[in-house]
């Protein structure tokens, strides 16, 4: 917002560059750290056939790189209402169900939907990598 009145595309180039640098920084940190990047998603499909991806600022980043390609693990959230109890459940989608760009290595999770619990996810990744 500090650059909202600035004309031209250089501000978008700078923002894309800085976002990319932040995401890449996680790969150069210590091996014993687990970095979780939390983002918003956006529907690039429609209401009938939704398709969600990581939300980016402007089109430059999308045209140059697929952000999900920077990561081994991409989870999306899903809110489900239990039909028998009407209880709301918060889940992670572990691999694409056709509506998003979620991905994890084969065999990391047994189910496509898991509880929304980052501690569980990190423990499973540690187990998988060992």
């Amino acid at each position: 917002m500090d650059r909202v009145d600035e004309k031209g595309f250089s501000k978008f180039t700078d923002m894309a560059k800085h976002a990319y640098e932040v995401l890449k920084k996680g790969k150069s940190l210590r091996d014993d750290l687990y970095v979780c990047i939390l983002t918003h998603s956006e529907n690039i499909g429609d209401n009938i056939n939704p398709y969600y991806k990581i939300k980016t600022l402007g089109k430059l980043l999308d045209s140059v790189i697929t952000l999900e390609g920077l990561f081994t693990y991409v989870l999306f959230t899903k809110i489900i209402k239990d039909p028998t109890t009407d209880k709301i459940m918060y889940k992670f989608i572990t691999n694409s169900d056709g509506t998003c760009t979620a991905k994890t290595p084969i065999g990391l999770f047994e189910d496509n939907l898991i509880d929304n619990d980052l501690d569980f996810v990190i423990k499973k990744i540690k187990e998988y990598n060992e």
Side-chain angles (χ1 to χ4, degrees), residues 21-124:
E21 288 171 350
V22 166
L23 296 175
K24 291 289 285 183
K25 182 66 178 174
K27 291 185 176 229
S28 67
L29 299 174
R30 296 187 335 250
D31 288 341
D32 63 331
L33 294 178
Y34 285 80
V35 178
C36 298
I37 307 291
L38 306 176
T39 70
H40 289 279
S41 60
E42 70 176 316
N43 181 4
I44 58 172
D46 55 40
N47 288 338
I48 296 170
N49 297 302
Y51 192 75
Y52 296 93
K53 67 170 210 53
I54 294 174
K55 184 176 176 93
T56 58
L57 185 64
K59 295 179 183 173
L60 178 63
L61 207 53
D62 285 342
S63 68
V64 174
I65 190 167
T66 301
L67 288 179
E68 292 88 344
L70 296 174
F71 303 99
T72 304
Y73 317 98
V74 177
L75 304 173
F76 277 78
T77 57
K78 186 167 189 154
I79 301 170
I80 300 171
K81 188 174 187 179
D82 185 319
T84 59
T85 65
D86 283 341
K87 180 182 175 186
I88 300 295
M89 299 179 295
Y90 299 90
K91 300 288 186 177
F92 282 136
I93 302 171
T94 61
N95 285 292
S96 181
D97 59 0
T99 66
C100 66
T101 56
K103 65 177 187 170
T104 58
I106 293 173
L108 177 60
F109 297 105
E110 293 177 20
D111 298 314
N112 201 41
L113 282 178
I114 61 171
D115 288 337
N116 185 328
D117 180 349
L118 281 176
D119 185 53
F120 171 76
V121 170
I122 291 169
K123 285 177 182 173
K124 291 297 281 184

